[in-house]
Amino acid sequence: MGTTARPSVPAPVPLPPGLLPERCRHARTHLVRGVTVVEVYGTVDLATAPDVRLHLDAATRTPGARVVVDLRPVEFFDCAVLTLLCRAHRRIREHGGRLGVVCVRPWHLRVLAAGGLGALIRPAATVEEAALTAPVAPPSDVNHR
């Protein structure tokens, strides 16, 4: 009798210490198949956004970075998340990388749409989908603005 091998999803790979911030109450960063995933947790507002910003800034500082922001574990967010996503998008664009966002909750999707982020990001249902569909942001020429 043969056994059927089932494909397995690799567990998140923690990045080497010192490259990215340690997990905090509102964010955790890890690698999945070469993509840096920033998982955001709990409530994100003006008071908690700085913790998340540390993770996003670290993830988006490398030229050509492939970053996915996973908002599925977020219970509540306000306009602070819009600011964080716009900042991450700008930083990715400056370095010619890719930015994907995972967001499935209807209320969160409405907030993203109301904030006008539909032109910048297209929320996906999974990390894999976000990584595959994230558009390449051509490097911006900051000297010619």
Side-chain angles (χ1 to χ4, degrees):
M1 258 193 217
T3 59
T4 304
R6 298 179 72 190
S8 63
V9 176
V13 177
L15 296 172
L19 290 183
L20 293 176
E22 293 293 322
R23 180 181 179 153
C24 65
R25 187 172 176 200
H26 301 286
R28 175 176 81 109
T29 303
H30 60 274
L31 285 177
V32 175
R33 296 186 179 144
V35 175
T36 303
V37 178
V38 178
E39 290 180 348
V40 184
Y41 297 93
T43 297
V44 183
D45 56 20
L46 289 174
T48 60
D51 289 340
V52 178
R53 186 177 60 236
L54 286 174
H55 284 261
L56 289 174
D57 282 357
T60 58
R61 77 172 154 234
T62 306
R66 295 172 53 206
V67 179
V68 170
V69 181
D70 188 352
L71 297 175
R72 290 176 297 181
V74 174
E75 295 167 8
F76 170 84
F77 67 74
D78 63 11
C79 63
V81 164
L82 303 180
T83 301
L84 291 169
L85 291 175
C86 286
R87 177 183 173 89
H89 181 268
R90 178 185 52 81
R91 290 171 57 89
I92 284 288
R93 183 173 169 88
E94 288 172 355
H95 299 297
R98 292 176 181 250
L99 178 67
V101 174
V102 180
C103 183
V104 295
R105 295 182 188 211
W107 173 249
H108 295 166
L109 292 167
R110 284 195 295 270
V111 172
L112 294 176
L117 293 184
L120 296 178
I121 58 169
R122 292 189 189 113
T126 66
V127 169
E128 292 79 10
E129 179 187 350
L132 290 173
T133 61
V136 175
S140 64
D141 189 350
V142 292
N143 297 327
H144 292 90
R145 285 188 185 182

